[in-house]
């Protein structure tokens, strides 16, 4: 088992002062992502409340929660975009906030709200990303062309990103996130704005990545996709992790005798949403 820093001591330390932690040896279970007592506050609001989470290497982990539950805030802290108020995050064996450049070299990130260089073409942006990750020139060119072809972006590869649709932006951002074959891939709503054909292609790519050892941390509101892709799921509500496990484990805990409950039913049960009448009175 992994030995973690003392939780009580980590709460009182700033992210810069936290003790380092090394990944367990190859003979022990390996973790790709670890959070310990992760907290983020905005003024007096607690957005993420002492989140303790472990994601095993090679997992396809789904991260669910209602709007405002703390999903995107958690992901931003994990990838080094938002500093925690307290607590720690490790990706692989690297503390994200102690060694951010080394940590980011291990990960690929597709955020919910894309901030792309709109005056680059799709091809230029993917190639630029390859250079940022330090890939050899020959690998960059070969991988960029293959990604453009598989993601059906060849005909638009030399258009400026400013002229891309939402779906095309998502696809070029995904290509940039995986060109270096990251150990851990963070995806926040990757299928939003994606057509069914491209959605199938992206699912196939993600499945192949996990087959090759990449760990995927995946947040989405599309329950059917999460249920189809993810091997394990965590559910966050009001900044607190309220459930974690495989779909079957969550089904047994949340749904009792209903062994065929859908992930949507499980999710609503876990966050405490009752089956109420939501009809508009003025439509009667």
């Amino acid at each position: 088992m992994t030995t973690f820093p003392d939780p009580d001591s980590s709460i009182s330390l700033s992210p810069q002062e936290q003790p380092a932690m090394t990944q367990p040896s190859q003979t022990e279970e390996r973790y790709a992502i670890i959070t310990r007592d992760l907290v983020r506050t905005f003024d007096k609001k607690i957005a993420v409340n002492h989140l303790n989470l472990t994601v095993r290497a090679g997992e396809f982990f789904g991260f669910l929660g209602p709007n405002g539950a703390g999903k995107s805030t958690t992901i931003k802290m994990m990838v080094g975009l938002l500093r925690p108020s307290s607590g720690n995050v490790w990706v692989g064996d690297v503390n994200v906030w102690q060694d951010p450049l080394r940590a980011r070299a291990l990960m690929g990130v597709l955020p919910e709200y894309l901030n792309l260089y709109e005056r680059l073409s799709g091809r230029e942006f993917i190639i630029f990303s390859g250079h940022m990750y330090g890939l050899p020139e020959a690998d960059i060119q070969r991988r960029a062309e293959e990604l453009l072809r598989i993601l059906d972006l060849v005909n638009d590869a030399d258009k400026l990103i400013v002229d891309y649709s939402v779906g095309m932006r998502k696809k070029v951002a995904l290509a940039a996130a995986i060109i270096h074959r990251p150990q851990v891939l963070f995806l926040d709503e990757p299928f939003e704005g994606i057509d069914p054909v491209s959605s199938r292609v992206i699912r196939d790519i993600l499945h192949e990545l996990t087959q090759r050892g990449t760990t995927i941390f995946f947040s989405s509101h599309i329950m059917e996709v999460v249920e189809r892709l993810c091997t394990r799921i965590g559910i966050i509500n009001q900044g607190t992790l309220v459930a974690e496990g495989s779909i079957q484990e969550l089904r047994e805990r949340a749904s009792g005798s209903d062994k065929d409950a859908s992930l949507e039913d499980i999710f609503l049960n876990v966050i405490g949403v009752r089956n109420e009448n939501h009809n508009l009175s003025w439509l009667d």
Side-chain angles (χ1 to χ4, degrees):
M1 292 296 292
T2 305
T3 301
F4 299 113
D6 181 1
D8 294 330
S9 64
S10 67
I11 293 173
S12 61
L13 297 176
S14 68
Q16 300 97 318
E17 299 171 320
Q18 299 293 343
M21 188 198 81
T22 57
Q23 187 63 269
S25 68
Q26 294 290 343
T27 58
E28 300 175 13
E29 188 169 34
R30 291 186 59 82
Y31 295 107
I33 304 167
I34 301 171
T35 73
R36 270 294 171 264
D37 287 305
L38 197 62
V39 175
R40 178 65 197 195
T41 60
F42 296 97
D43 294 327
K44 295 183 180 180
K45 175 179 172 58
I46 301 176
V48 177
N49 188 12
H50 296 285
L51 181 69
N52 293 298
L53 185 65
T54 56
V55 178
R56 300 179 186 92
E59 278 194 317
F60 202 129
F61 188 88
F63 194 51
L64 304 180
N67 290 333
K71 301 186 303 299
S72 293
T73 299
T74 298
I75 292 175
K76 288 177 182 177
M77 289 190 287
M78 287 177 168
V79 304
L81 292 176
L82 180 66
R83 185 173 294 279
S85 301
S86 63
N88 280 289
V89 183
W90 292 267
V91 171
D93 60 352
V94 182
N95 186 306
V96 172
W97 289 98
Q98 285 185 349
D99 197 350
L101 291 180
R102 187 167 160 237
R104 288 171 189 171
L106 302 177
M107 63 177 80
V109 182
L110 179 63
E112 180 179 9
Y113 300 108
L114 302 176
N115 187 17
L116 307 179
Y117 294 107
E118 294 189 335
R119 291 298 170 182
L120 295 180
S121 69
R123 177 180 278 113
E124 288 171 338
F125 183 73
I126 296 170
I127 290 173
F128 167 76
S129 298
H131 283 294
M132 290 296 291
Y133 285 113
L135 296 177
E137 183 67 32
D139 287 347
I140 293 172
Q141 296 297 330
R142 176 174 55 84
R143 295 182 188 187
E145 294 306 316
E146 188 171 358
L147 286 163
L148 288 167
R149 176 179 57 80
I150 289 176
L151 291 169
D152 194 25
L153 290 170
V154 172
N155 293 335
D156 300 296
D158 296 313
K159 294 180 181 178
L160 297 182
I161 291 174
V162 69
D163 296 322
Y164 276 14
S165 67
V166 172
M168 291 165 64
R169 287 170 180 246
K170 286 276 188 180
K171 289 193 287 185
V172 79
L174 175 63
I178 66 176
I179 190 170
H180 62 303
R181 193 175 177 181
Q183 289 186 25
V184 184
L185 179 61
F186 292 89
L187 304 173
D188 196 355
E189 297 293 350
F191 294 99
E192 186 177 6
I194 298 292
D195 65 85
V197 175
S198 297
S199 178
R200 175 63 180 269
V201 171
I202 291 173
R203 290 201 308 270
D204 290 344
I205 291 172
L206 299 181
H207 178 71
E208 184 174 2
L209 283 169
T210 57
Q211 293 294 105
R212 306 277 181 165
T214 297
T215 304
I216 297 179
F217 191 90
F218 172 59
S219 177
S220 177
H221 290 297
I222 307 175
M223 295 293 172
E224 294 84 357
V225 174
V226 176
E227 189 166 6
R228 182 181 302 176
L229 292 177
C230 296
T231 54
R232 203 159 61 92
I233 292 168
I235 299 176
I236 187 173
N237 192 29
Q238 297 180 352
T240 301
L241 189 69
V242 293
E244 182 183 359
S246 68
I247 293 178
Q248 186 56 40
E249 289 170 341
L250 294 177
R251 184 177 286 128
E252 291 172 355
R253 292 177 205 162
S255 303
S257 60
D258 188 359
K259 302 303 180 184
D260 298 317
S262 68
L263 180 58
E264 179 178 342
D265 292 334
I266 296 168
F267 173 75
L268 294 175
N269 187 313
V270 167
I271 66 173
V273 174
R274 296 176 182 150
N275 187 15
E276 299 174 348
N277 184 352
H278 298 293
N279 294 333
L280 297 172
S281 61
W282 46 269
L283 292 180
D284 292 337

